[in-house]
Amino acid sequence: HILYAIDHYDMRKGRIVSIDLQTMQRQLLFSHGSDGFYFGQILAATFDPLNKQIVLADYSKGVHTFNVETNRLSTISVNGSAFENYLFPTDVVVDVQNSRALAVQESENPSLVSIDLSTGNRTIISDNSGVGSGVLFRSPRRLELDTNNDRALIYDDNLYAILAVNLSTGERSVIADYRNGTGDWIQYISSLELDSNKLIGLKSLQDGGLLEINLENGNRTLMSDNTGEAVRVSGNQVLIDNINDRYLVTSSNSIVTVDRNTKVQNVLFKETVSSGPQMSWLTDISIDPSRNTGYVLDFFGKRIFEVNLLTGERKLLSGSGINLVSPIDIEIDRNNNQLLI
């Protein structure tokens, strides 16, 4: 297994790094300035398993792909000279069945855009200028793909709503907001995960929590919040841990588990709870279900932790190779038994 991570806090030092999970050796795959290429502002990244590449949403320059077999980076959807044709992506997902990436942008022309992974050609699926009908976008920021229903699920940060966009017609409809469905407000969502017929949203602020959004009626259930003294749920990312039937939430210095059924939350990973080396600021986690193991990036510590998902015990991964600078994103490449950073 290989873990891939994006090291991109400092735009002058943007890099893609891989880590072999057997030897723990780190290898620099691509760095800022290689082949005359310079990153702009990477806001999101996802893995395309079919083409064995990372798809990166660059807010300043468009959409890039990085092939993990050839170590080649390509800008497949470049911003040209005409400002109205610019793409400012804030989130990106891969539609494997149709060999395309889907991106949302909130600047200039808020829209959902399709990018052909072979040609880079862009097609507007839905926007406020006549492509698709329904509620207008305000600030579409987070994106999930619902392939079973041929739609994209989008969190709009200005509407405080979850929108559904039909991928065939571009029609936009509201699934949940303050008028549709009952329950907690939908705001400050930093991460989305589709779990069958419900959407899990993570609130990022101190008084946030984990929202379960019913996609049939728009009702919201606050699965966990920060009212307890010991467990606080707010942070960067929520992941589904299918093996243990729960959700994992990463924050700056801990990982919290929330049981899918009972909603009981527990601290899995924290200096005062589980054993292992000290940590400073956690930015991302990737799960290996076959090993019941998580791999966590420590931003300020410039380190990677391996975490036992049952006990929370952690150990520091060490190995030879390039030093990390500002690691923010991590992915597992199971085909090559390595991590990408």
Side-chain angles (χ1 to χ4, degrees):
H1 292 63
I2 296 176
L3 195 62
Y4 299 104
I6 311 300
D7 183 359
H8 192 64
Y9 178 76
D10 187 337
M11 286 186 286
R12 296 168 299 176
K13 300 176 182 177
R15 305 179 302 177
I16 300 174
V17 179
S18 71
I19 300 173
D20 189 294
L21 293 181
Q22 291 182 331
T23 65
M24 296 303 124
Q25 183 174 1
R26 298 183 298 274
Q27 180 181 359
L28 177 63
L29 302 181
F30 191 88
S31 62
H32 192 67
S34 296
D35 300 326
F37 180 87
Y38 296 89
F39 288 114
Q41 186 179 4
I42 303 297
L43 295 186
T46 188
F47 194 71
D48 172 10
L50 185 63
N51 298 297
K52 298 180 181 178
Q53 61 187 2
I54 303 171
V55 180
L56 303 106
D58 189 328
Y59 188 77
S60 302
K61 294 189 174 183
V63 176
H64 318 298
T65 60
F66 180 79
N67 189 294
V68 299
E69 293 187 324
T70 64
N71 289 355
R72 180 176 176 80
L73 188 139
S74 303
T75 300
I76 63 169
S77 191
V78 65
N79 283 333
S81 58
F83 191 71
E84 63 270 17
N85 294 327
Y86 265 45
L87 175 65
F88 299 96
T90 56
D91 202 1
V92 63
V93 298
V94 172
D95 180 0
V96 175
Q97 294 179 357
N98 295 293
S99 190
R100 63 181 178 178
L102 301 178
V104 286
Q105 64 173 351
E106 59 180 351
S107 297
E108 302 308 319
N109 180 28
S111 55
L112 174 66
V113 180
S114 167
I115 303 107
D116 188 292
L117 290 173
S118 300
T119 65
N121 291 339
R122 294 197 297 259
T123 303
I124 295 178
I125 294 177
S126 187
D127 68 3
N128 295 343
S129 302
V131 183
S133 59
V135 63
L136 297 180
F137 288 127
R138 292 287 186 84
S139 182
R141 188 165 295 180
R142 294 290 172 259
L143 171 65
E144 268 290 289
L145 179 63
D146 183 1
T147 54
N148 291 335
N149 294 292
D150 190 37
R151 64 183 179 179
L153 302 171
I154 297 173
Y155 163 65
D156 192 299
D157 194 50
N158 192 287
L159 294 173
Y160 301 137
I162 299 297
L163 308 180
V165 178
N166 186 298
L167 295 178
S168 299
T169 66
E171 182 181 356
R172 303 174 298 276
S173 59
V174 177
I175 286 183
D177 64 1
Y178 63 95
R179 295 192 196 95
N180 296 271
T182 60
D184 211 57
W185 272 63
I186 305 169
Q187 56 185 346
Y188 311 119
I189 301 296
S190 63
S191 179
L192 290 176
E193 279 287 306
L194 180 62
D195 188 6
S196 187
N197 65 340
K198 56 192 175 185
L199 193 65
I200 307 301
L202 174 62
K203 289 188 169 186
S204 58
L205 297 185
Q206 281 296 99
D207 59 348
L210 202 61
L211 277 182
E212 179 183 278
I213 304 165
N214 188 306
L215 295 176
E216 295 180 357
N217 55 32
N219 290 343
R220 283 92 60 194
T221 302
L222 189 61
M223 299 182 64
S224 59
D225 57 25
N226 290 334
T227 57
E229 295 182 2
V231 181
R232 301 188 65 80
V233 178
S234 62
N236 308 315
Q237 185 179 17
V238 57
L239 290 176
I240 299 173
D241 180 7
N242 285 307
I243 296 296
N244 299 295
D245 203 24
R246 64 188 179 181
Y247 305 109
L248 298 181
V249 177
T250 64
S251 63
S252 61
N253 63 357
S254 64
I255 299 174
V256 174
T257 68
V258 181
D259 189 279
R260 263 173 165 161
N261 304 304
T262 66
K263 320 302 183 193
V264 171
Q265 55 196 71
N266 291 290
V267 176
L268 173 69
F269 180 66
K270 195 174 183 179
E271 289 183 14
T272 57
V273 174
S274 55
S275 61
Q278 291 187 347
M279 53 199 170
S280 53
W281 191 271
L282 307 184
T283 54
D284 197 18
I285 181 174
S286 191
I287 296 176
D288 181 358
S290 65
R291 301 181 182 183
N292 225 337
T293 298
Y295 297 94
V296 185
L297 290 180
D298 182 346
F299 177 78
F300 289 120
K302 304 174 184 179
R303 300 173 297 180
I304 303 158
F305 291 102
E306 180 181 280
V307 185
N308 185 307
L309 295 180
L310 292 178
T311 66
E313 181 181 358
R314 61 190 178 273
K315 66 179 181 180
L316 185 64
L317 299 186
S318 60
S320 61
I322 186 170
N323 293 327
L324 298 177
V325 177
S326 305
I328 62 170
D329 191 78
I330 192 165
E331 295 288 341
I332 299 177
D333 176 9
R334 294 176 176 83
N335 293 326
N336 297 299
N337 196 39
Q338 64 181 0
L339 309 175
L340 279 182
I341 296 177

Short mmCIF file of all heavy atoms in Angstrom, two decimals, residues 88-148:
data_model
loop_
_atom_site.label_atom_id
_atom_site.label_comp_id
_atom_site.label_asym_id
_atom_site.label_seq_id
_atom_site.Cartn_x
_atom_site.Cartn_y
_atom_site.Cartn_z
N PHE A 88 -12.61 28.49 -11.27
CA PHE A 88 -12.06 28.66 -9.93
C PHE A 88 -12.61 27.56 -9.03
O PHE A 88 -13.53 27.79 -8.24
CB PHE A 88 -12.43 30.03 -9.37
CG PHE A 88 -11.92 31.18 -10.18
CD1 PHE A 88 -12.73 31.80 -11.12
CD2 PHE A 88 -10.63 31.65 -10.00
CE1 PHE A 88 -12.26 32.87 -11.87
CE2 PHE A 88 -10.15 32.72 -10.75
CZ PHE A 88 -10.96 33.32 -11.68
N PRO A 89 -12.10 26.35 -9.12
CA PRO A 89 -12.70 25.22 -8.39
C PRO A 89 -12.42 25.26 -6.89
O PRO A 89 -11.31 25.53 -6.46
CB PRO A 89 -12.03 24.00 -9.04
CG PRO A 89 -10.70 24.51 -9.51
CD PRO A 89 -10.93 25.93 -9.93
N THR A 90 -13.46 24.97 -6.11
CA THR A 90 -13.31 24.87 -4.65
C THR A 90 -13.39 23.43 -4.17
O THR A 90 -12.99 23.14 -3.05
CB THR A 90 -14.39 25.70 -3.94
OG1 THR A 90 -15.68 25.27 -4.38
CG2 THR A 90 -14.22 27.18 -4.24
N ASP A 91 -13.92 22.54 -5.00
CA ASP A 91 -13.96 21.12 -4.65
C ASP A 91 -14.05 20.31 -5.94
O ASP A 91 -14.51 20.82 -6.97
CB ASP A 91 -15.16 20.81 -3.75
CG ASP A 91 -14.96 19.54 -2.93
OD1 ASP A 91 -13.88 18.91 -3.05
OD2 ASP A 91 -15.87 19.17 -2.17
N VAL A 92 -13.60 19.05 -5.88
CA VAL A 92 -13.58 18.22 -7.08
C VAL A 92 -13.82 16.77 -6.68
O VAL A 92 -13.39 16.33 -5.61
CB VAL A 92 -12.23 18.36 -7.83
CG1 VAL A 92 -11.07 17.88 -6.98
CG2 VAL A 92 -12.26 17.65 -9.17
N VAL A 93 -14.56 16.03 -7.52
CA VAL A 93 -14.76 14.59 -7.36
C VAL A 93 -14.55 13.94 -8.72
O VAL A 93 -14.61 14.61 -9.76
CB VAL A 93 -16.17 14.25 -6.82
CG1 VAL A 93 -16.38 14.83 -5.44
CG2 VAL A 93 -17.24 14.71 -7.79
N VAL A 94 -14.31 12.64 -8.72
CA VAL A 94 -14.12 11.90 -9.96
C VAL A 94 -15.35 11.04 -10.24
O VAL A 94 -15.81 10.31 -9.37
CB VAL A 94 -12.86 11.01 -9.90
CG1 VAL A 94 -12.77 10.10 -11.12
CG2 VAL A 94 -11.61 11.88 -9.82
N ASP A 95 -15.89 11.18 -11.44
CA ASP A 95 -16.98 10.34 -11.92
C ASP A 95 -16.35 9.26 -12.80
O ASP A 95 -16.16 9.45 -14.00
CB ASP A 95 -17.97 11.20 -12.73
CG ASP A 95 -19.15 10.40 -13.26
OD1 ASP A 95 -19.21 9.18 -13.01
OD2 ASP A 95 -20.00 11.00 -13.96
N VAL A 96 -16.01 8.13 -12.18
CA VAL A 96 -15.25 7.08 -12.86
C VAL A 96 -16.02 6.51 -14.04
O VAL A 96 -15.45 6.25 -15.11
CB VAL A 96 -14.87 5.96 -11.86
CG1 VAL A 96 -14.18 4.81 -12.57
CG2 VAL A 96 -13.98 6.51 -10.76
N GLN A 97 -17.32 6.35 -13.88
CA GLN A 97 -18.14 5.74 -14.93
C GLN A 97 -18.11 6.54 -16.23
O GLN A 97 -18.21 5.99 -17.33
CB GLN A 97 -19.57 5.58 -14.44
CG GLN A 97 -19.73 4.59 -13.30
CD GLN A 97 -21.17 4.48 -12.84
OE1 GLN A 97 -22.05 5.19 -13.33
NE2 GLN A 97 -21.42 3.61 -11.87
N ASN A 98 -17.96 7.86 -16.12
CA ASN A 98 -17.99 8.71 -17.30
C ASN A 98 -16.64 9.35 -17.60
O ASN A 98 -16.57 10.27 -18.43
CB ASN A 98 -19.05 9.81 -17.12
CG ASN A 98 -20.46 9.24 -17.04
OD1 ASN A 98 -20.98 8.70 -18.00
ND2 ASN A 98 -21.07 9.32 -15.86
N SER A 99 -15.59 8.87 -16.95
CA SER A 99 -14.23 9.34 -17.17
C SER A 99 -14.14 10.87 -17.15
O SER A 99 -13.62 11.51 -18.06
CB SER A 99 -13.69 8.80 -18.51
OG SER A 99 -12.32 9.06 -18.63
N ARG A 100 -14.67 11.44 -16.10
CA ARG A 100 -14.64 12.89 -15.98
C ARG A 100 -14.50 13.30 -14.52
O ARG A 100 -14.72 12.49 -13.60
CB ARG A 100 -15.93 13.49 -16.55
CG ARG A 100 -17.19 13.08 -15.78
CD ARG A 100 -18.44 13.67 -16.39
NE ARG A 100 -19.65 13.24 -15.69
CZ ARG A 100 -20.88 13.64 -16.00
NH1 ARG A 100 -21.07 14.48 -17.01
NH2 ARG A 100 -21.93 13.20 -15.31
N ALA A 101 -14.10 14.53 -14.34
CA ALA A 101 -14.09 15.13 -13.01
C ALA A 101 -15.24 16.13 -12.95
O ALA A 101 -15.60 16.75 -13.96
CB ALA A 101 -12.76 15.82 -12.74
N LEU A 102 -15.81 16.27 -11.77
CA LEU A 102 -16.83 17.29 -11.53
C LEU A 102 -16.27 18.28 -10.52
O LEU A 102 -15.69 17.88 -9.51
CB LEU A 102 -18.12 16.68 -11.00
CG LEU A 102 -18.81 15.63 -11.88
CD1 LEU A 102 -20.06 15.10 -11.18
CD2 LEU A 102 -19.17 16.20 -13.24
N ALA A 103 -16.44 19.56 -10.80
CA ALA A 103 -15.93 20.60 -9.92
C ALA A 103 -16.99 21.65 -9.69
O ALA A 103 -17.80 21.94 -10.57
CB ALA A 103 -14.67 21.24 -10.51
N VAL A 104 -16.98 22.23 -8.49
CA VAL A 104 -17.84 23.37 -8.20
C VAL A 104 -16.97 24.61 -8.05
O VAL A 104 -15.83 24.53 -7.60
CB VAL A 104 -18.69 23.18 -6.91
CG1 VAL A 104 -19.80 22.20 -7.15
CG2 VAL A 104 -17.83 22.75 -5.73
N GLN A 105 -17.52 25.74 -8.46
CA GLN A 105 -16.83 27.01 -8.25
C GLN A 105 -17.84 28.01 -7.73
O GLN A 105 -19.01 28.00 -8.09
CB GLN A 105 -16.18 27.50 -9.54
CG GLN A 105 -17.12 27.83 -10.67
CD GLN A 105 -16.40 28.47 -11.84
OE1 GLN A 105 -15.22 28.82 -11.76
NE2 GLN A 105 -17.09 28.63 -12.96
N GLU A 106 -17.36 28.92 -6.85
CA GLU A 106 -18.25 29.89 -6.23
C GLU A 106 -17.96 31.32 -6.67
O GLU A 106 -18.70 32.23 -6.36
CB GLU A 106 -18.16 29.80 -4.71
CG GLU A 106 -16.77 30.05 -4.14
CD GLU A 106 -16.73 29.96 -2.62
OE1 GLU A 106 -17.80 29.87 -2.01
OE2 GLU A 106 -15.62 29.99 -2.06
N SER A 107 -16.88 31.54 -7.44
CA SER A 107 -16.53 32.88 -7.89
C SER A 107 -17.08 33.14 -9.30
O SER A 107 -17.28 32.21 -10.08
CB SER A 107 -15.01 33.06 -7.90
OG SER A 107 -14.47 32.94 -6.61
N GLU A 108 -17.27 34.41 -9.61
CA GLU A 108 -17.71 34.86 -10.93
C GLU A 108 -19.02 34.21 -11.36
O GLU A 108 -20.07 34.76 -11.18
CB GLU A 108 -16.59 34.62 -11.96
CG GLU A 108 -15.28 35.31 -11.61
CD GLU A 108 -15.47 36.78 -11.32
OE1 GLU A 108 -16.24 37.44 -12.04
OE2 GLU A 108 -14.87 37.28 -10.36
N ASN A 109 -18.95 33.01 -11.91
CA ASN A 109 -20.15 32.31 -12.36
C ASN A 109 -20.30 31.03 -11.53
O ASN A 109 -19.79 29.98 -11.90
CB ASN A 109 -20.05 31.96 -13.84
CG ASN A 109 -21.29 31.22 -14.33
OD1 ASN A 109 -22.39 31.40 -13.80
ND2 ASN A 109 -21.12 30.38 -15.34
N PRO A 110 -21.00 31.09 -10.39
CA PRO A 110 -21.17 29.89 -9.56
C PRO A 110 -21.79 28.76 -10.38
O PRO A 110 -22.83 28.96 -11.01
CB PRO A 110 -22.12 30.34 -8.44
CG PRO A 110 -21.95 31.82 -8.39
CD PRO A 110 -21.70 32.25 -9.81
N SER A 111 -21.15 27.60 -10.36
CA SER A 111 -21.60 26.56 -11.27
C SER A 111 -21.04 25.20 -10.90
O SER A 111 -20.13 25.08 -10.07
CB SER A 111 -21.17 26.90 -12.71
OG SER A 111 -19.78 27.13 -12.78
N LEU A 112 -21.61 24.17 -11.53
CA LEU A 112 -21.09 22.81 -11.50
C LEU A 112 -20.56 22.52 -12.90
O LEU A 112 -21.28 22.66 -13.89
CB LEU A 112 -22.19 21.82 -11.12
CG LEU A 112 -21.81 20.33 -11.19
CD1 LEU A 112 -20.76 19.98 -10.14
CD2 LEU A 112 -23.04 19.46 -11.00
N VAL A 113 -19.30 22.11 -12.96
CA VAL A 113 -18.62 21.95 -14.25
C VAL A 113 -18.10 20.52 -14.39
O VAL A 113 -17.61 19.93 -13.42
CB VAL A 113 -17.44 22.94 -14.36
CG1 VAL A 113 -16.73 22.78 -15.70
CG2 VAL A 113 -17.94 24.37 -14.19
N SER A 114 -18.21 19.97 -15.61
CA SER A 114 -17.64 18.67 -15.94
C SER A 114 -16.35 18.88 -16.71
O SER A 114 -16.29 19.71 -17.63
CB SER A 114 -18.64 17.86 -16.78
OG SER A 114 -18.01 16.73 -17.35
N ILE A 115 -15.29 18.13 -16.34
CA ILE A 115 -14.01 18.22 -17.03
C ILE A 115 -13.65 16.84 -17.55
O ILE A 115 -13.50 15.89 -16.76
CB ILE A 115 -12.89 18.74 -16.11
CG1 ILE A 115 -13.25 20.10 -15.53
CG2 ILE A 115 -11.57 18.81 -16.87
CD1 ILE A 115 -13.61 20.07 -14.07
N ASP A 116 -13.53 16.69 -18.85
CA ASP A 116 -13.14 15.42 -19.46
C ASP A 116 -11.71 15.10 -19.05
O ASP A 116 -10.80 15.90 -19.25
CB ASP A 116 -13.26 15.52 -20.98
CG ASP A 116 -13.05 14.17 -21.67
OD1 ASP A 116 -11.93 13.65 -21.64
OD2 ASP A 116 -14.02 13.65 -22.24
N LEU A 117 -11.50 13.91 -18.47
CA LEU A 117 -10.18 13.56 -17.96
C LEU A 117 -9.17 13.25 -19.06
O LEU A 117 -7.97 13.17 -18.80
CB LEU A 117 -10.28 12.37 -16.99
CG LEU A 117 -10.96 12.67 -15.66
CD1 LEU A 117 -11.17 11.39 -14.86
CD2 LEU A 117 -10.16 13.68 -14.85
N SER A 118 -9.64 13.06 -20.28
CA SER A 118 -8.74 12.79 -21.40
C SER A 118 -8.36 14.06 -22.15
O SER A 118 -7.20 14.30 -22.46
CB SER A 118 -9.37 11.79 -22.38
OG SER A 118 -9.64 10.56 -21.75
N THR A 119 -9.36 14.90 -22.42
CA THR A 119 -9.12 16.09 -23.24
C THR A 119 -9.04 17.37 -22.44
O THR A 119 -8.49 18.37 -22.91
CB THR A 119 -10.25 16.24 -24.27
OG1 THR A 119 -11.49 16.51 -23.59
CG2 THR A 119 -10.40 14.97 -25.10
N GLY A 120 -9.59 17.36 -21.22
CA GLY A 120 -9.64 18.59 -20.43
C GLY A 120 -10.78 19.51 -20.80
O GLY A 120 -10.96 20.58 -20.20
N ASN A 121 -11.58 19.13 -21.79
CA ASN A 121 -12.70 19.97 -22.22
C ASN A 121 -13.69 20.16 -21.07
O ASN A 121 -14.03 19.21 -20.37
CB ASN A 121 -13.41 19.36 -23.42
CG ASN A 121 -12.55 19.39 -24.67
OD1 ASN A 121 -11.62 20.19 -24.77
ND2 ASN A 121 -12.87 18.53 -25.62
N ARG A 122 -14.13 21.40 -20.90
CA ARG A 122 -15.06 21.73 -19.82
C ARG A 122 -16.46 21.90 -20.37
O ARG A 122 -16.67 22.50 -21.42
CB ARG A 122 -14.63 23.02 -19.12
CG ARG A 122 -13.33 22.94 -18.38
CD ARG A 122 -13.18 24.09 -17.39
NE ARG A 122 -13.15 25.39 -17.99
CZ ARG A 122 -12.04 26.10 -18.20
NH1 ARG A 122 -10.87 25.58 -17.89
NH2 ARG A 122 -12.09 27.30 -18.72
N THR A 123 -17.42 21.38 -19.62
CA THR A 123 -18.83 21.55 -19.96
C THR A 123 -19.57 21.99 -18.71
O THR A 123 -19.44 21.35 -17.65
CB THR A 123 -19.44 20.23 -20.48
OG1 THR A 123 -18.71 19.77 -21.61
CG2 THR A 123 -20.90 20.43 -20.85
N ILE A 124 -20.29 23.08 -18.80
CA ILE A 124 -21.09 23.52 -17.66
C ILE A 124 -22.33 22.64 -17.55
O ILE A 124 -23.13 22.56 -18.49
CB ILE A 124 -21.49 24.99 -17.81
CG1 ILE A 124 -20.25 25.89 -17.76
CG2 ILE A 124 -22.47 25.40 -16.70
CD1 ILE A 124 -20.55 27.36 -17.95
N ILE A 125 -22.46 21.98 -16.43
CA ILE A 125 -23.63 21.13 -16.19
C ILE A 125 -24.78 21.96 -15.67
O ILE A 125 -25.94 21.75 -16.04
CB ILE A 125 -23.28 20.01 -15.19
CG1 ILE A 125 -22.25 19.05 -15.81
CG2 ILE A 125 -24.53 19.25 -14.76
CD1 ILE A 125 -21.80 17.96 -14.86
N SER A 126 -24.47 22.94 -14.81
CA SER A 126 -25.52 23.76 -14.23
C SER A 126 -24.91 25.08 -13.75
O SER A 126 -23.84 25.09 -13.14
CB SER A 126 -26.18 23.03 -13.05
OG SER A 126 -27.29 23.73 -12.56
N ASP A 127 -25.58 26.20 -14.07
CA ASP A 127 -25.12 27.50 -13.59
C ASP A 127 -26.31 28.44 -13.48
O ASP A 127 -27.47 28.04 -13.67
CB ASP A 127 -24.01 28.08 -14.47
CG ASP A 127 -24.49 28.49 -15.86
OD1 ASP A 127 -25.71 28.37 -16.15
OD2 ASP A 127 -23.64 28.91 -16.67
N ASN A 128 -26.03 29.72 -13.19
CA ASN A 128 -27.09 30.71 -13.02
C ASN A 128 -27.39 31.47 -14.31
O ASN A 128 -28.14 32.44 -14.29
CB ASN A 128 -26.71 31.71 -11.93
CG ASN A 128 -26.61 31.05 -10.56
OD1 ASN A 128 -27.12 29.96 -10.36
ND2 ASN A 128 -25.96 31.73 -9.63
N SER A 129 -26.79 31.04 -15.42
CA SER A 129 -26.92 31.79 -16.67
C SER A 129 -27.69 31.03 -17.74
O SER A 129 -27.47 31.21 -18.94
CB SER A 129 -25.52 32.16 -17.20
OG SER A 129 -24.81 32.91 -16.25
N GLY A 130 -28.55 30.12 -17.30
CA GLY A 130 -29.42 29.45 -18.26
C GLY A 130 -29.16 27.99 -18.48
O GLY A 130 -29.91 27.33 -19.19
N VAL A 131 -28.08 27.46 -17.88
CA VAL A 131 -27.81 26.02 -17.99
C VAL A 131 -28.45 25.33 -16.79
O VAL A 131 -27.95 25.41 -15.67
CB VAL A 131 -26.31 25.71 -18.04
CG1 VAL A 131 -26.10 24.20 -18.22
CG2 VAL A 131 -25.65 26.48 -19.16
N GLY A 132 -29.56 24.67 -17.01
CA GLY A 132 -30.31 24.08 -15.90
C GLY A 132 -31.23 25.11 -15.28
O GLY A 132 -31.01 26.32 -15.36
N SER A 133 -32.29 24.62 -14.66
CA SER A 133 -33.26 25.51 -14.02
C SER A 133 -33.30 25.22 -12.52
O SER A 133 -32.67 24.30 -12.04
CB SER A 133 -34.65 25.29 -14.64
OG SER A 133 -35.04 23.92 -14.46
N GLY A 134 -34.07 26.05 -11.80
CA GLY A 134 -34.24 25.83 -10.37
C GLY A 134 -33.58 26.90 -9.54
O GLY A 134 -33.25 28.00 -10.03
N VAL A 135 -33.36 26.60 -8.28
CA VAL A 135 -32.77 27.55 -7.35
C VAL A 135 -31.40 27.99 -7.83
O VAL A 135 -30.64 27.21 -8.40
CB VAL A 135 -32.68 26.93 -5.94
CG1 VAL A 135 -31.77 25.71 -5.93
CG2 VAL A 135 -32.21 27.95 -4.91
N LEU A 136 -31.08 29.27 -7.65
CA LEU A 136 -29.80 29.81 -8.09
C LEU A 136 -28.69 29.47 -7.09
O LEU A 136 -28.90 29.50 -5.88
CB LEU A 136 -29.88 31.32 -8.25
CG LEU A 136 -30.85 31.85 -9.32
CD1 LEU A 136 -30.80 33.37 -9.34
CD2 LEU A 136 -30.53 31.28 -10.69
N PHE A 137 -27.50 29.16 -7.64
CA PHE A 137 -26.33 29.00 -6.79
C PHE A 137 -25.98 30.35 -6.16
O PHE A 137 -26.14 31.41 -6.77
CB PHE A 137 -25.12 28.54 -7.60
CG PHE A 137 -25.17 27.12 -8.08
CD1 PHE A 137 -24.98 26.82 -9.42
CD2 PHE A 137 -25.37 26.08 -7.19
CE1 PHE A 137 -24.99 25.51 -9.87
CE2 PHE A 137 -25.39 24.77 -7.62
CZ PHE A 137 -25.21 24.48 -8.96
N ARG A 138 -25.45 30.31 -4.96
CA ARG A 138 -24.88 31.50 -4.32
C ARG A 138 -23.39 31.28 -4.07
O ARG A 138 -22.56 32.04 -4.55
CB ARG A 138 -25.59 31.79 -3.00
CG ARG A 138 -27.03 32.23 -3.15
CD ARG A 138 -27.16 33.66 -3.68
NE ARG A 138 -28.54 34.11 -3.68
CZ ARG A 138 -29.16 34.62 -2.64
NH1 ARG A 138 -28.53 34.71 -1.47
NH2 ARG A 138 -30.41 35.03 -2.74
N SER A 139 -23.09 30.25 -3.31
CA SER A 139 -21.69 29.96 -2.98
C SER A 139 -21.50 28.45 -2.83
O SER A 139 -21.29 27.95 -1.73
CB SER A 139 -21.30 30.68 -1.68
OG SER A 139 -19.95 30.46 -1.36
N PRO A 140 -21.55 27.71 -3.96
CA PRO A 140 -21.37 26.25 -3.87
C PRO A 140 -19.94 25.91 -3.49
O PRO A 140 -19.00 26.30 -4.19
CB PRO A 140 -21.70 25.78 -5.30
CG PRO A 140 -21.41 26.97 -6.16
CD PRO A 140 -21.74 28.18 -5.33
N ARG A 141 -19.77 25.17 -2.40
CA ARG A 141 -18.41 25.00 -1.87
C ARG A 141 -17.99 23.55 -1.69
O ARG A 141 -16.83 23.22 -1.90
CB ARG A 141 -18.31 25.74 -0.53
CG ARG A 141 -16.91 25.79 0.03
CD ARG A 141 -16.80 26.80 1.14
NE ARG A 141 -17.00 28.16 0.65
CZ ARG A 141 -16.94 29.24 1.43
NH1 ARG A 141 -16.72 29.11 2.72
NH2 ARG A 141 -17.13 30.44 0.92
N ARG A 142 -18.89 22.64 -1.30
CA ARG A 142 -18.55 21.24 -1.09
C ARG A 142 -19.39 20.38 -2.02
O ARG A 142 -20.55 20.70 -2.32
CB ARG A 142 -18.75 20.83 0.37
CG ARG A 142 -17.80 21.51 1.32
CD ARG A 142 -16.38 21.00 1.14
NE ARG A 142 -15.42 21.77 1.90
CZ ARG A 142 -14.64 22.71 1.41
NH1 ARG A 142 -14.70 22.99 0.12
NH2 ARG A 142 -13.79 23.36 2.16
N LEU A 143 -18.82 19.23 -2.43
CA LEU A 143 -19.43 18.44 -3.49
C LEU A 143 -19.30 16.95 -3.18
O LEU A 143 -18.25 16.49 -2.75
CB LEU A 143 -18.71 18.77 -4.81
CG LEU A 143 -19.01 17.92 -6.05
CD1 LEU A 143 -20.45 18.10 -6.49
CD2 LEU A 143 -18.05 18.33 -7.18
N GLU A 144 -20.38 16.21 -3.41
CA GLU A 144 -20.39 14.75 -3.35
C GLU A 144 -21.13 14.22 -4.57
O GLU A 144 -22.10 14.82 -5.03
CB GLU A 144 -21.07 14.25 -2.08
CG GLU A 144 -20.13 14.03 -0.90
CD GLU A 144 -19.21 12.85 -1.09
OE1 GLU A 144 -19.67 11.70 -1.04
OE2 GLU A 144 -18.00 13.08 -1.30
N LEU A 145 -20.69 13.07 -5.07
CA LEU A 145 -21.31 12.45 -6.24
C LEU A 145 -22.23 11.33 -5.80
O LEU A 145 -21.82 10.43 -5.07
CB LEU A 145 -20.22 11.93 -7.18
CG LEU A 145 -20.69 11.23 -8.46
CD1 LEU A 145 -21.46 12.20 -9.34
CD2 LEU A 145 -19.49 10.67 -9.21
N ASP A 146 -23.49 11.38 -6.25
CA ASP A 146 -24.48 10.34 -5.97
C ASP A 146 -24.77 9.63 -7.30
O ASP A 146 -25.71 9.97 -8.01
CB ASP A 146 -25.74 10.96 -5.38
CG ASP A 146 -26.78 9.93 -4.99
OD1 ASP A 146 -26.52 8.72 -5.16
OD2 ASP A 146 -27.86 10.34 -4.52
N THR A 147 -23.94 8.64 -7.64
CA THR A 147 -24.05 7.98 -8.94
C THR A 147 -25.34 7.20 -9.09
O THR A 147 -25.89 7.10 -10.19
CB THR A 147 -22.85 7.04 -9.17
OG1 THR A 147 -22.75 6.13 -8.07
CG2 THR A 147 -21.56 7.82 -9.27
N ASN A 148 -25.85 6.64 -7.99
CA ASN A 148 -27.08 5.84 -8.07
C ASN A 148 -28.28 6.67 -8.52
O ASN A 148 -29.22 6.13 -9.11
CB ASN A 148 -27.37 5.18 -6.72
CG ASN A 148 -26.37 4.10 -6.38
OD1 ASN A 148 -25.75 3.52 -7.26
ND2 ASN A 148 -26.20 3.83 -5.09
#
